[in-house]
Amino acid sequence: ENILGAVPDAQVMVRDPMNDGAHFEATVISEAFVGMSLAQQHRRVLQSLKDLFAGDVHALALRTYTPEKWASTQG
């Protein structure tokens, strides 16, 4: 829900592959990323999660996509 606060139109998929509540993988797909560099996309998402990193979250593998780019990876 923190990601949706920063990127309201996003489709967000989060996994906890180690099932430890500390290491996560997130995929965020949003039209808002159009025209942004990858660094800008990641910064926008990570800024919304900064409080989580002060607590129990230790790692996040983040992937961001525009809807067009996401569609091209699904073929």
Side-chain angles (χ1 to χ4, degrees):
E1 68 192 46
N2 289 334
I3 294 172
L4 291 175
V7 191
D9 74 326
Q11 179 182 352
V12 180
M13 296 167 274
V14 178
R15 293 183 52 232
D16 181 359
M18 295 181 167
N19 203 27
D20 65 0
H23 299 84
F24 295 92
E25 296 176 355
T27 300
V28 183
I29 305 158
S30 174
E31 192 70 37
F33 295 147
V34 172
M36 288 184 173
S37 69
L38 191 58
Q40 290 170 320
Q41 294 172 23
H42 283 209
R43 199 170 14 252
R44 183 163 176 179
V45 173
L46 292 172
Q47 187 67 24
S48 71
L49 301 174
K50 65 182 176 188
D51 291 340
L52 293 177
F53 283 100
D56 295 332
V57 174
H58 297 293
L60 174 67
L62 178 61
R63 293 176 186 87
T64 56
Y65 300 91
T66 63
E68 182 181 4
K69 183 70 173 174
W70 175 253
S72 73
T73 68
Q74 300 306 298

